[in-house]
Amino acid sequence: MPESVPGAAYVLGALAVMFVVTVALRAAPFLALSALKNSAFVDFLGRTMPAGVMVILVMYTLRDVGQSTWLPATVGLAGTIAVHLWRRNAALSTVVGTGLYLAASAFWT
């Protein structure tokens, strides 16, 4: 074997380090969450994050709306809001809003 190829001990050591780091990184959120289980701050984040994330997504979506794309964006946004208020299901309202936006884009742009 050429000198530049690492030996079996080196490869096994590297694999062991990768294994330990991967397991630790996957376990860290669960350990942190168990320590913060009864935290008022985590409860606050759990109540406010979904709305905050939706506001950021709406702002990101509407940032490049121009004269030719405002109508499909408005139709999609109105459909998303209406379905969410009706069913209180984020997945359903996202799918319906996206479908309405695509349909409106096909017809009006």
Side-chain angles (χ1 to χ4, degrees):
M1 225 173 352
E3 285 184 30
S4 62
V5 176
Y10 180 84
V11 172
L12 290 175
L15 287 172
V17 169
M18 286 185 251
F19 173 78
V20 169
V21 168
T22 300
V23 169
L25 287 175
R26 290 184 183 258
F30 296 104
L31 293 173
L33 209 60
S34 67
L36 298 171
K37 191 173 188 177
N38 297 323
S39 169
F41 181 67
V42 172
D43 185 49
F44 169 75
L45 288 178
R47 285 183 283 114
T48 59
M49 285 281 292
V53 168
M54 292 304 288
V55 167
I56 290 170
L57 288 173
V58 168
M59 290 172 32
Y60 179 79
T61 301
L62 298 179
R63 78 183 193 291
D64 291 330
V65 172
Q67 280 186 307
S68 63
T69 58
W70 70 269
L71 188 57
T74 304
V75 168
L77 184 60
T80 302
I81 291 170
V83 171
H84 188 71
L85 291 175
W86 173 49
R87 299 296 298 194
R88 298 282 184 205
N89 186 332
L92 179 64
S93 59
T94 302
V95 169
V96 170
T98 302
L100 287 172
Y101 174 76
L102 292 174
S105 293
F107 289 116
W108 284 305
T109 55

